[in-house]
Amino acid sequence: MTIKEIQNEIIDEFSMFDDWMQRYEYIIELGKSLPLINEEYKTDENLIKGCQSKVWLHGEEKEDKIVFTADSDAILTKGIIAILIRAFSNQKAADIINADTDFIDEIGLKEHLSATRANGLVSMIKNIKMYALAFNAKNN
């Protein structure tokens, strides 16, 4: 699936919920299904700066695609990074670099987060894009 197709799938899933309490519960559920990061990658180097809670993100190249794993010490944040990983993991670096993140606004996520969590969300997206830029530069 393309990034856009996955993002549209996420938008459809979120549209099924009537209120934000249900959406928060769903985000927490998504966090439970997050492909966990190996303990060896839970380092300061993989810690996302700008997040209120601790979020570790690791990306590695597998067969021309970037595979992300992550973890967080906060259940809601874990769900947020799970959404991002679902959208961007197992995709080519160039596709990640060129992908928009409008789906975040379409599901209303940013506007329903505290200011510090919204900043953390932006930092998570930036880190995912930085991984893509690094792998793209290495391969060109």
Side-chain angles (χ1 to χ4, degrees), residues 80-107:
I80 294 167
I81 194 70
I83 292 169
L84 296 175
I85 283 181
R86 180 170 157 200
F88 298 110
S89 193
N90 287 305
Q91 300 291 337
K92 292 180 185 229
D95 294 339
I96 295 169
I97 293 165
N98 296 318
D100 66 45
T101 54
D102 295 346
F103 81 106
I104 297 292
D105 296 326
E106 287 188 51
I107 63 175

PDB file of all heavy atoms in Angstrom, residues 80-107:
ATOM      1  N   ILE A  80       0.196   7.498  19.325  1.00  0.00           N
ATOM      2  CA  ILE A  80       0.470   8.498  18.289  1.00  0.00           C
ATOM      3  C   ILE A  80       1.623   8.037  17.395  1.00  0.00           C
ATOM      4  O   ILE A  80       1.524   8.091  16.167  1.00  0.00           O
ATOM      5  CB  ILE A  80       0.777   9.874  18.926  1.00  0.00           C
ATOM      6  CG1 ILE A  80      -0.484  10.417  19.623  1.00  0.00           C
ATOM      7  CG2 ILE A  80       1.279  10.863  17.875  1.00  0.00           C
ATOM      8  CD1 ILE A  80      -0.233  11.593  20.543  1.00  0.00           C
ATOM      9  N   ILE A  81       2.705   7.567  18.000  1.00  0.00           N
ATOM     10  CA  ILE A  81       3.840   7.102  17.189  1.00  0.00           C
ATOM     11  C   ILE A  81       3.444   5.848  16.409  1.00  0.00           C
ATOM     12  O   ILE A  81       3.906   5.625  15.297  1.00  0.00           O
ATOM     13  CB  ILE A  81       5.134   6.911  18.029  1.00  0.00           C
ATOM     14  CG1 ILE A  81       6.364   6.757  17.143  1.00  0.00           C
ATOM     15  CG2 ILE A  81       5.038   5.746  18.985  1.00  0.00           C
ATOM     16  CD1 ILE A  81       6.815   7.966  16.400  1.00  0.00           C
ATOM     17  N   ALA A  82       2.528   5.038  16.964  1.00  0.00           N
ATOM     18  CA  ALA A  82       2.043   3.848  16.241  1.00  0.00           C
ATOM     19  C   ALA A  82       1.321   4.256  14.955  1.00  0.00           C
ATOM     20  O   ALA A  82       1.492   3.614  13.915  1.00  0.00           O
ATOM     21  CB  ALA A  82       1.113   3.025  17.136  1.00  0.00           C
ATOM     22  N   ILE A  83       0.535   5.328  15.014  1.00  0.00           N
ATOM     23  CA  ILE A  83      -0.157   5.826  13.816  1.00  0.00           C
ATOM     24  C   ILE A  83       0.863   6.259  12.768  1.00  0.00           C
ATOM     25  O   ILE A  83       0.746   5.923  11.590  1.00  0.00           O
ATOM     26  CB  ILE A  83      -1.095   7.006  14.178  1.00  0.00           C
ATOM     27  CG1 ILE A  83      -2.266   6.510  15.023  1.00  0.00           C
ATOM     28  CG2 ILE A  83      -1.599   7.713  12.916  1.00  0.00           C
ATOM     29  CD1 ILE A  83      -3.095   7.622  15.653  1.00  0.00           C
ATOM     30  N   LEU A  84       1.880   6.992  13.200  1.00  0.00           N
ATOM     31  CA  LEU A  84       2.903   7.478  12.267  1.00  0.00           C
ATOM     32  C   LEU A  84       3.698   6.327  11.656  1.00  0.00           C
ATOM     33  O   LEU A  84       3.981   6.322  10.465  1.00  0.00           O
ATOM     34  CB  LEU A  84       3.836   8.467  12.967  1.00  0.00           C
ATOM     35  CG  LEU A  84       3.168   9.758  13.438  1.00  0.00           C
ATOM     36  CD1 LEU A  84       4.156  10.616  14.215  1.00  0.00           C
ATOM     37  CD2 LEU A  84       2.581  10.533  12.265  1.00  0.00           C
ATOM     38  N   ILE A  85       4.039   5.348  12.481  1.00  0.00           N
ATOM     39  CA  ILE A  85       4.793   4.194  11.974  1.00  0.00           C
ATOM     40  C   ILE A  85       3.944   3.413  10.971  1.00  0.00           C
ATOM     41  O   ILE A  85       4.433   2.972   9.939  1.00  0.00           O
ATOM     42  CB  ILE A  85       5.283   3.314  13.137  1.00  0.00           C
ATOM     43  CG1 ILE A  85       6.481   3.995  13.776  1.00  0.00           C
ATOM     44  CG2 ILE A  85       5.632   1.907  12.661  1.00  0.00           C
ATOM     45  CD1 ILE A  85       7.093   3.251  14.917  1.00  0.00           C
ATOM     46  N   ARG A  86       2.668   3.276  11.265  1.00  0.00           N
ATOM     47  CA  ARG A  86       1.786   2.576  10.333  1.00  0.00           C
ATOM     48  C   ARG A  86       1.786   3.281   8.970  1.00  0.00           C
ATOM     49  O   ARG A  86       1.812   2.636   7.926  1.00  0.00           O
ATOM     50  CB  ARG A  86       0.374   2.530  10.907  1.00  0.00           C
ATOM     51  CG  ARG A  86      -0.588   1.819  10.009  1.00  0.00           C
ATOM     52  CD  ARG A  86      -1.888   1.587  10.733  1.00  0.00           C
ATOM     53  NE  ARG A  86      -2.972   1.425   9.788  1.00  0.00           N
ATOM     54  CZ  ARG A  86      -4.239   1.592  10.096  1.00  0.00           C
ATOM     55  NH1 ARG A  86      -4.571   1.927  11.332  1.00  0.00           N
ATOM     56  NH2 ARG A  86      -5.170   1.422   9.195  1.00  0.00           N
ATOM     57  N   ALA A  87       1.788   4.603   8.990  1.00  0.00           N
ATOM     58  CA  ALA A  87       1.738   5.367   7.739  1.00  0.00           C
ATOM     59  C   ALA A  87       3.064   5.351   6.984  1.00  0.00           C
ATOM     60  O   ALA A  87       3.078   5.331   5.759  1.00  0.00           O
ATOM     61  CB  ALA A  87       1.322   6.807   8.024  1.00  0.00           C
ATOM     62  N   PHE A  88       4.184   5.360   7.711  1.00  0.00           N
ATOM     63  CA  PHE A  88       5.471   5.583   7.050  1.00  0.00           C
ATOM     64  C   PHE A  88       6.443   4.412   7.043  1.00  0.00           C
ATOM     65  O   PHE A  88       7.418   4.421   6.302  1.00  0.00           O
ATOM     66  CB  PHE A  88       6.167   6.806   7.659  1.00  0.00           C
ATOM     67  CG  PHE A  88       5.378   8.072   7.474  1.00  0.00           C
ATOM     68  CD1 PHE A  88       4.769   8.695   8.533  1.00  0.00           C
ATOM     69  CD2 PHE A  88       5.241   8.623   6.207  1.00  0.00           C
ATOM     70  CE1 PHE A  88       4.027   9.864   8.343  1.00  0.00           C
ATOM     71  CE2 PHE A  88       4.504   9.791   6.004  1.00  0.00           C
ATOM     72  CZ  PHE A  88       3.897  10.407   7.085  1.00  0.00           C
ATOM     73  N   SER A  89       6.220   3.394   7.864  1.00  0.00           N
ATOM     74  CA  SER A  89       7.145   2.263   7.889  1.00  0.00           C
ATOM     75  C   SER A  89       6.945   1.398   6.650  1.00  0.00           C
ATOM     76  O   SER A  89       5.862   1.356   6.065  1.00  0.00           O
ATOM     77  CB  SER A  89       6.930   1.425   9.150  1.00  0.00           C
ATOM     78  OG  SER A  89       7.997   0.517   9.319  1.00  0.00           O
ATOM     79  N   ASN A  90       8.004   0.716   6.253  1.00  0.00           N
ATOM     80  CA  ASN A  90       7.982  -0.148   5.059  1.00  0.00           C
ATOM     81  C   ASN A  90       7.706   0.635   3.782  1.00  0.00           C
ATOM     82  O   ASN A  90       7.034   0.141   2.872  1.00  0.00           O
ATOM     83  CB  ASN A  90       6.954  -1.277   5.215  1.00  0.00           C
ATOM     84  CG  ASN A  90       7.429  -2.311   6.195  1.00  0.00           C
ATOM     85  OD1 ASN A  90       8.510  -2.866   6.045  1.00  0.00           O
ATOM     86  ND2 ASN A  90       6.648  -2.543   7.228  1.00  0.00           N
ATOM     87  N   GLN A  91       8.209   1.852   3.733  1.00  0.00           N
ATOM     88  CA  GLN A  91       8.065   2.700   2.549  1.00  0.00           C
ATOM     89  C   GLN A  91       9.458   3.132   2.094  1.00  0.00           C
ATOM     90  O   GLN A  91      10.406   3.129   2.868  1.00  0.00           O
ATOM     91  CB  GLN A  91       7.220   3.937   2.868  1.00  0.00           C
ATOM     92  CG  GLN A  91       5.809   3.631   3.346  1.00  0.00           C
ATOM     93  CD  GLN A  91       4.907   3.045   2.275  1.00  0.00           C
ATOM     94  OE1 GLN A  91       5.143   3.231   1.079  1.00  0.00           O
ATOM     95  NE2 GLN A  91       3.874   2.329   2.698  1.00  0.00           N
ATOM     96  N   LYS A  92       9.562   3.523   0.837  1.00  0.00           N
ATOM     97  CA  LYS A  92      10.839   4.014   0.299  1.00  0.00           C
ATOM     98  C   LYS A  92      11.125   5.405   0.853  1.00  0.00           C
ATOM     99  O   LYS A  92      10.199   6.192   1.078  1.00  0.00           O
ATOM    100  CB  LYS A  92      10.779   4.068  -1.222  1.00  0.00           C
ATOM    101  CG  LYS A  92      10.698   2.699  -1.842  1.00  0.00           C
ATOM    102  CD  LYS A  92      10.646   2.785  -3.354  1.00  0.00           C
ATOM    103  CE  LYS A  92      10.439   1.384  -3.881  1.00  0.00           C
ATOM    104  NZ  LYS A  92      11.263   0.954  -4.891  1.00  0.00           N
ATOM    105  N   ALA A  93      12.412   5.696   1.043  1.00  0.00           N
ATOM    106  CA  ALA A  93      12.826   6.979   1.609  1.00  0.00           C
ATOM    107  C   ALA A  93      12.247   8.159   0.835  1.00  0.00           C
ATOM    108  O   ALA A  93      11.700   9.093   1.426  1.00  0.00           O
ATOM    109  CB  ALA A  93      14.350   7.069   1.660  1.00  0.00           C
ATOM    110  N   ALA A  94      12.339   8.116  -0.485  1.00  0.00           N
ATOM    111  CA  ALA A  94      11.833   9.229  -1.308  1.00  0.00           C
ATOM    112  C   ALA A  94      10.335   9.433  -1.103  1.00  0.00           C
ATOM    113  O   ALA A  94       9.861  10.575  -1.072  1.00  0.00           O
ATOM    114  CB  ALA A  94      12.141   8.974  -2.781  1.00  0.00           C
ATOM    115  N   ASP A  95       9.585   8.338  -0.942  1.00  0.00           N
ATOM    116  CA  ASP A  95       8.138   8.446  -0.726  1.00  0.00           C
ATOM    117  C   ASP A  95       7.835   9.084   0.630  1.00  0.00           C
ATOM    118  O   ASP A  95       6.893   9.876   0.755  1.00  0.00           O
ATOM    119  CB  ASP A  95       7.466   7.072  -0.821  1.00  0.00           C
ATOM    120  CG  ASP A  95       7.545   6.490  -2.228  1.00  0.00           C
ATOM    121  OD1 ASP A  95       7.749   7.264  -3.187  1.00  0.00           O
ATOM    122  OD2 ASP A  95       7.428   5.257  -2.364  1.00  0.00           O
ATOM    123  N   ILE A  96       8.643   8.749   1.636  1.00  0.00           N
ATOM    124  CA  ILE A  96       8.459   9.336   2.969  1.00  0.00           C
ATOM    125  C   ILE A  96       8.776  10.829   2.916  1.00  0.00           C
ATOM    126  O   ILE A  96       8.023  11.657   3.449  1.00  0.00           O
ATOM    127  CB  ILE A  96       9.345   8.627   4.019  1.00  0.00           C
ATOM    128  CG1 ILE A  96       8.903   7.159   4.179  1.00  0.00           C
ATOM    129  CG2 ILE A  96       9.280   9.358   5.360  1.00  0.00           C
ATOM    130  CD1 ILE A  96       9.850   6.297   4.986  1.00  0.00           C
ATOM    131  N   ILE A  97       9.856  11.179   2.248  1.00  0.00           N
ATOM    132  CA  ILE A  97      10.263  12.588   2.135  1.00  0.00           C
ATOM    133  C   ILE A  97       9.158  13.403   1.466  1.00  0.00           C
ATOM    134  O   ILE A  97       8.831  14.507   1.902  1.00  0.00           O
ATOM    135  CB  ILE A  97      11.585  12.715   1.339  1.00  0.00           C
ATOM    136  CG1 ILE A  97      12.735  12.093   2.130  1.00  0.00           C
ATOM    137  CG2 ILE A  97      11.887  14.181   1.007  1.00  0.00           C
ATOM    138  CD1 ILE A  97      13.991  11.841   1.310  1.00  0.00           C
ATOM    139  N   ASN A  98       8.572  12.860   0.410  1.00  0.00           N
ATOM    140  CA  ASN A  98       7.574  13.589  -0.381  1.00  0.00           C
ATOM    141  C   ASN A  98       6.149  13.484   0.154  1.00  0.00           C
ATOM    142  O   ASN A  98       5.259  14.180  -0.331  1.00  0.00           O
ATOM    143  CB  ASN A  98       7.610  13.110  -1.836  1.00  0.00           C
ATOM    144  CG  ASN A  98       8.940  13.442  -2.477  1.00  0.00           C
ATOM    145  OD1 ASN A  98       9.476  14.523  -2.297  1.00  0.00           O
ATOM    146  ND2 ASN A  98       9.495  12.490  -3.216  1.00  0.00           N
ATOM    147  N   ALA A  99       5.928  12.642   1.147  1.00  0.00           N
ATOM    148  CA  ALA A  99       4.571  12.445   1.665  1.00  0.00           C
ATOM    149  C   ALA A  99       4.117  13.658   2.478  1.00  0.00           C
ATOM    150  O   ALA A  99       4.907  14.256   3.207  1.00  0.00           O
ATOM    151  CB  ALA A  99       4.534  11.197   2.548  1.00  0.00           C
ATOM    152  N   ASP A 100       2.831  13.971   2.326  1.00  0.00           N
ATOM    153  CA  ASP A 100       2.306  15.033   3.186  1.00  0.00           C
ATOM    154  C   ASP A 100       1.764  14.390   4.468  1.00  0.00           C
ATOM    155  O   ASP A 100       1.624  13.181   4.560  1.00  0.00           O
ATOM    156  CB  ASP A 100       1.257  15.884   2.466  1.00  0.00           C
ATOM    157  CG  ASP A 100      -0.008  15.110   2.138  1.00  0.00           C
ATOM    158  OD1 ASP A 100      -0.514  14.382   3.007  1.00  0.00           O
ATOM    159  OD2 ASP A 100      -0.502  15.245   0.998  1.00  0.00           O
ATOM    160  N   THR A 101       1.491  15.233   5.423  1.00  0.00           N
ATOM    161  CA  THR A 101       0.980  14.729   6.702  1.00  0.00           C
ATOM    162  C   THR A 101      -0.390  15.351   7.003  1.00  0.00           C
ATOM    163  O   THR A 101      -0.765  15.497   8.155  1.00  0.00           O
ATOM    164  CB  THR A 101       1.981  15.024   7.844  1.00  0.00           C
ATOM    165  OG1 THR A 101       2.265  16.429   7.847  1.00  0.00           O
ATOM    166  CG2 THR A 101       3.259  14.235   7.672  1.00  0.00           C
ATOM    167  N   ASP A 102      -1.115  15.693   5.949  1.00  0.00           N
ATOM    168  CA  ASP A 102      -2.442  16.303   6.104  1.00  0.00           C
ATOM    169  C   ASP A 102      -3.411  15.393   6.851  1.00  0.00           C
ATOM    170  O   ASP A 102      -4.356  15.869   7.473  1.00  0.00           O
ATOM    171  CB  ASP A 102      -3.042  16.639   4.734  1.00  0.00           C
ATOM    172  CG  ASP A 102      -2.250  17.713   4.008  1.00  0.00           C
ATOM    173  OD1 ASP A 102      -1.405  18.373   4.648  1.00  0.00           O
ATOM    174  OD2 ASP A 102      -2.462  17.879   2.792  1.00  0.00           O
ATOM    175  N   PHE A 103      -3.177  14.091   6.778  1.00  0.00           N
ATOM    176  CA  PHE A 103      -4.099  13.159   7.438  1.00  0.00           C
ATOM    177  C   PHE A 103      -4.168  13.409   8.945  1.00  0.00           C
ATOM    178  O   PHE A 103      -5.195  13.166   9.569  1.00  0.00           O
ATOM    179  CB  PHE A 103      -3.728  11.701   7.119  1.00  0.00           C
ATOM    180  CG  PHE A 103      -2.608  11.115   7.938  1.00  0.00           C
ATOM    181  CD1 PHE A 103      -2.873  10.190   8.936  1.00  0.00           C
ATOM    182  CD2 PHE A 103      -1.295  11.476   7.701  1.00  0.00           C
ATOM    183  CE1 PHE A 103      -1.847   9.632   9.686  1.00  0.00           C
ATOM    184  CE2 PHE A 103      -0.259  10.923   8.437  1.00  0.00           C
ATOM    185  CZ  PHE A 103      -0.540  10.004   9.446  1.00  0.00           C
ATOM    186  N   ILE A 104      -3.090  13.936   9.528  1.00  0.00           N
ATOM    187  CA  ILE A 104      -3.065  14.274  10.956  1.00  0.00           C
ATOM    188  C   ILE A 104      -4.131  15.340  11.248  1.00  0.00           C
ATOM    189  O   ILE A 104      -4.862  15.244  12.229  1.00  0.00           O
ATOM    190  CB  ILE A 104      -1.663  14.812  11.371  1.00  0.00           C
ATOM    191  CG1 ILE A 104      -0.594  13.736  11.181  1.00  0.00           C
ATOM    192  CG2 ILE A 104      -1.677  15.341  12.795  1.00  0.00           C
ATOM    193  CD1 ILE A 104      -0.674  12.553  12.099  1.00  0.00           C
ATOM    194  N   ASP A 105      -4.195  16.340  10.374  1.00  0.00           N
ATOM    195  CA  ASP A 105      -5.211  17.391  10.534  1.00  0.00           C
ATOM    196  C   ASP A 105      -6.607  16.855  10.230  1.00  0.00           C
ATOM    197  O   ASP A 105      -7.573  17.219  10.904  1.00  0.00           O
ATOM    198  CB  ASP A 105      -4.898  18.581   9.617  1.00  0.00           C
ATOM    199  CG  ASP A 105      -3.588  19.261  10.000  1.00  0.00           C
ATOM    200  OD1 ASP A 105      -3.274  19.299  11.210  1.00  0.00           O
ATOM    201  OD2 ASP A 105      -2.878  19.727   9.100  1.00  0.00           O
ATOM    202  N   GLU A 106      -6.694  15.988   9.238  1.00  0.00           N
ATOM    203  CA  GLU A 106      -8.004  15.449   8.851  1.00  0.00           C
ATOM    204  C   GLU A 106      -8.645  14.610   9.947  1.00  0.00           C
ATOM    205  O   GLU A 106      -9.868  14.608  10.092  1.00  0.00           O
ATOM    206  CB  GLU A 106      -7.900  14.645   7.553  1.00  0.00           C
ATOM    207  CG  GLU A 106      -7.708  15.535   6.339  1.00  0.00           C
ATOM    208  CD  GLU A 106      -7.804  14.779   5.035  1.00  0.00           C
ATOM    209  OE1 GLU A 106      -8.797  14.042   4.848  1.00  0.00           O
ATOM    210  OE2 GLU A 106      -6.887  14.926   4.209  1.00  0.00           O
ATOM    211  N   ILE A 107      -7.827  13.897  10.724  1.00  0.00           N
ATOM    212  CA  ILE A 107      -8.411  13.140  11.841  1.00  0.00           C
ATOM    213  C   ILE A 107      -8.557  14.019  13.083  1.00  0.00           C
ATOM    214  O   ILE A 107      -9.116  13.587  14.081  1.00  0.00           O
ATOM    215  CB  ILE A 107      -7.623  11.836  12.160  1.00  0.00           C
ATOM    216  CG1 ILE A 107      -6.189  12.118  12.617  1.00  0.00           C
ATOM    217  CG2 ILE A 107      -7.644  10.886  10.978  1.00  0.00           C
ATOM    218  CD1 ILE A 107      -5.420  10.871  13.055  1.00  0.00           C
TER     219      ILE A 107
END
